[in-house]
Each structure stands twice: as C-alpha cells, then as structure tokens.
Amino acid sequence: MDNSISSSNPATGNAYVVPAQTRIGHVHLQVTDIEKALGFYRDILGFQVVQRFGNQAAFISAGGYHHHIGLNTWNSLGGPPARKHGAGLYHTAILYATRAELAGALRQLALAKYPITGSADHGVSEAIYLDDPDGNGVELYWDRPREQWPLTAAGEVQMYTRALDLNALLAEASE
C-alpha cells in the first residue's frame, strides 16, 4: 500500500503554497525543571501561566491565549540541557509588536542580570538572542514595517546582519 501523497495539485500541476495568513501558534519545549523554566519565561519575560500540571507541564501565554509556549518535563525531568549540535530546535522566536516592547523585554533582562548571547539588526527586524535556563535558544525580536524592509533592485528582501545598538534600544523602554 502506497501512503505517499503528491506535493502538487494534479489538476494544475502547481505546488501548494501555504496561505499568507498562516501563523505558527505555539511551541512546546522540553525543560528539566518547571520552576526553573517559569523563573525565566514567567518571572523575567512576563508570560502568564494559563494552566499547570504539577512539575510535569505548564502552559503560558501573552494576552490570555490558550498557550504560546508549552513547557514540559515528560521526557526531560532532571535531564541534561538542550544540545547545541545536531538536529533539533535552533531557537524559539518571540515577536514583539513594537520596538518599545522589545526594549521593555531587554530592560527586564538587564534588571534580572540575565545573560544574552547576541543581538543583531537584520534590516527587516531587530533581535536579541539568549538561552533559557535549559539551553534552549530564544530570539526576542520586532519586525520593522514592510515598507522599511531593505530590497534588492529586483524587489526581493535583502536581509543582513549588522550590530544592534543595545543602549539605544534600552533607551526606548518605557517605565
């Protein structure tokens, strides 16, 4: 029995394209300790706990959504941190609506003396990189408005990686 499916529309021969309004709704992260993970995601980044199952799982969100991030210890309780080499999740990216909101997150990190691993201006966005307590990569970023994105002469997006002035960003954090 052949369980394979075709990636093109047999009627037109065109490859499927995901609808433009499609979004990634949530991510589940394996962590070694729920309290340690909540100390970062809840207490520093400010996510709210929506539901919790003891030391096995916590579902957290921004703005009351059912969950943006699931934290679980189902296969990782007390285990080693996330590995840096090999296949797997490179990082979870958390999108802020404005530069000022990203600046507020940077202020929280600074107040907590939480280490960041990098930062960058990508032309289309500005980003701060760090690891959660289990070594899972985290990107905090905001997207510039599309009309400000750098484009090639052919109209294609031209991303780059340049230094991000963290002090200038931090100055935009509202109290």
Side-chain angles (χ1 to χ4, degrees), residues 16-100:
Y16 173 77
V17 176
V18 68
Q21 297 306 311
T22 302
R23 298 291 178 261
I24 296 173
H26 61 267
V27 63
H28 279 250
L29 298 174
Q30 293 189 136
V31 298
T32 60
D33 181 296
I34 291 293
E35 286 305 319
K36 186 172 65 171
L38 287 174
F40 173 73
Y41 289 100
R42 178 192 60 207
D43 300 342
I44 296 175
L45 294 186
F47 284 93
Q48 293 98 23
V49 175
V50 176
Q51 190 170 18
R52 184 164 175 177
F53 298 95
N55 70 347
Q56 293 185 1
F59 297 93
I60 60 176
S61 79
Y65 187 63
H66 59 80
H67 71 289
H68 288 105
I69 301 173
L71 304 167
N72 73 68
T73 59
W74 299 324
N75 298 306
S76 55
L77 181 63
R83 61 189 189 152
K84 293 294 180 194
H85 302 287
L89 181 69
Y90 185 71
H91 66 230
T92 299
I94 300 171
L95 174 62
Y96 291 84
T98 66
R99 190 171 200 261

Side-chain angles (χ1 to χ4, degrees), residues 105-116:
L106 177 59
R107 183 187 68 219
Q108 286 299 109
L109 294 170
L111 289 171
K113 295 181 171 56
Y114 199 91
I116 65 171

Side-chain angles (χ1 to χ4, degrees), residues 118-127 129 150 158-164:
S119 62
D121 177 347
H122 293 299
V124 298
S125 63
E126 292 180 320
Y129 300 97
Q158 181 73 44
M159 291 178 60
Y160 51 75
T161 299
R162 296 182 183 156
L164 176 61

